[in-house]
Amino acid sequence: NVTVLSMAPGAAPEPNMTVRIEGERIIAIEPVIQATSQDDCTVVDGQGKWLIPGLFDMHVHFLSEPIPELEFTPEEILTPYLANGVLQILDMAATPDTNAIRDAVAAGKIVAPFIASGAMIDGDPPLRPGAIVVADPAEARAVVAEIAGAGFDFMKVYSKLSAEAFAAVREASKRTVAMR
């Protein structure tokens, strides 16, 4: 008996709906009057509640700038995302450690939102700590190959990157994507 918000453009909220879940999948969203009851299911009364699609936070800096006096486990940092409906994050300054946590989440070893990782590329000196610094087009091409080989999902080019290095990143990225 929940009100469902749809992602369909122009769709109005749908009150008095039943959402049936089997395993990890929604198998039906239907009006309460059409829903069939099963004895072996858990019923959560959604009266007066709203159900929204999972949210994505598309720009976080998860582990890029550690603060030594604030030591948290990945779960302590990531669980609040889930508690607030965020099911996926995009780390725009990811590290190899981020990729290891991403893989543990995907394998079900850590309860957290899914993580997409983006390595940051910048010129010299970089504006942010943790950025991969490239000085010229040759370094840029090599870094694109390294990032792809390390399993990052994306690359983020940053402000100090020269126009020539940026063009080399763009071209090398096109070739890398075409090879996948």
Side-chain angles (χ1 to χ4, degrees), residues 23-119:
E24 296 180 357
R25 301 270 186 239
I26 295 173
I27 61 163
I29 301 175
E30 55 198 2
V32 169
I33 58 172
Q34 292 178 358
T36 57
S37 162
Q38 294 178 321
D39 291 336
D40 62 342
C41 69
T42 301
V43 176
V44 176
D45 183 9
Q47 179 71 36
K49 308 263 191 271
W50 294 73
L51 184 64
I52 65 170
L55 304 172
F56 288 20
D57 189 335
M58 299 307 290
H59 194 137
V60 304
H61 292 258
F62 171 45
L63 295 175
S64 61
E65 298 175 35
I67 303 170
E69 62 273 14
L70 299 176
E71 293 187 25
F72 297 103
T73 66
E75 283 125 332
E76 289 171 328
I77 295 170
L78 295 170
T79 301
Y81 283 103
L82 291 178
N84 288 285
V86 177
L87 303 182
Q88 182 164 343
I89 62 172
L90 171 56
D91 187 340
M92 296 298 289
T95 66
D97 289 340
T98 308
N99 287 347
I101 294 166
R102 174 202 61 200
D103 296 344
V105 170
K109 296 177 183 172
I110 295 176
V111 176
F114 290 102
I115 301 170
S117 64

